């Protein structure tokens, strides 16, 4: 079913917003699968969170950024730390 990913370990099944993509770990990197367990976003992240409100926080090359469900960065990896879910502008102003 997973080809070269026979030893996939599933993690973080966050169903808070009925995610259609789930986080998984292949032993060295994180990626995302759909409900039929097909890989949608190849494992390539050092660390990652489940999707929330259409975004997932991921770490690549020691920097954090945010991807959409197509695996495209909407906020490029540039942060040493990251909040998840990301703070909204009005929340940031209050801090």
């Amino acid at each position: 079913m997973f080809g070269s990913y026979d030893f996939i370990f599933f993690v973080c099944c966050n169903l808070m917003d009925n995610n259609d993509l789930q986080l998984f770990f292949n032993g060295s990197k994180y990626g995302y699968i759909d409900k039929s367990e097909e890989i949608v976003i190849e494992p390539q992240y050092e660390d990652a969170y489940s999707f929330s409100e259409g975004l997932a926080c991921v770490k690549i090359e020691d920097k954090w950024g945010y991807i959409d469900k197509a695996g495209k960065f909407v906020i490029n990896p540039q942060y040493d730390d990251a909040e998840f879910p990301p703070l909204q502008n009005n929340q940031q102003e209050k801090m």
Side-chain angles (χ1 to χ4, degrees):
M1 150 179 24
F2 289 107
S4 62
Y5 302 108
D6 290 333
F7 300 105
I8 292 177
F9 176 71
F10 293 91
V11 295
C12 256
C13 293
N14 179 359
L15 301 175
M16 237 165 47
D17 62 355
N18 294 322
N19 288 325
D20 51 345
L21 296 183
Q22 298 299 317
L23 182 63
F24 78 95
F25 184 69
N26 73 356
S28 62
K29 299 284 182 177
Y30 291 89
Y32 296 86
I33 58 170
D34 62 18
K35 290 181 181 180
S36 64
E37 299 181 352
E38 295 292 322
I39 295 173
V40 176
I41 301 173
E42 292 289 330
Q44 57 193 298
Y45 308 109
E46 299 160 14
D47 203 352
Y49 289 92
S50 295
F51 278 90
S52 177
E53 299 180 23
L55 297 178
C57 185
V58 296
K59 185 177 185 181
I60 192 164
E61 296 179 7
D62 290 324
K63 297 291 181 183
W64 288 93
Y66 297 86
I67 59 170
D68 63 16
K69 290 187 177 187
K72 295 183 180 179
F73 278 99
V74 294
I75 300 175
N76 288 325
Q78 56 189 306
Y79 303 104
D80 294 328
D81 294 307
E83 288 280 333
F84 197 78
L87 294 174
Q88 302 299 321
N89 285 339
N90 62 347
Q91 290 175 311
Q92 291 174 349
E93 292 169 4
K94 293 178 184 177
M95 296 184 85

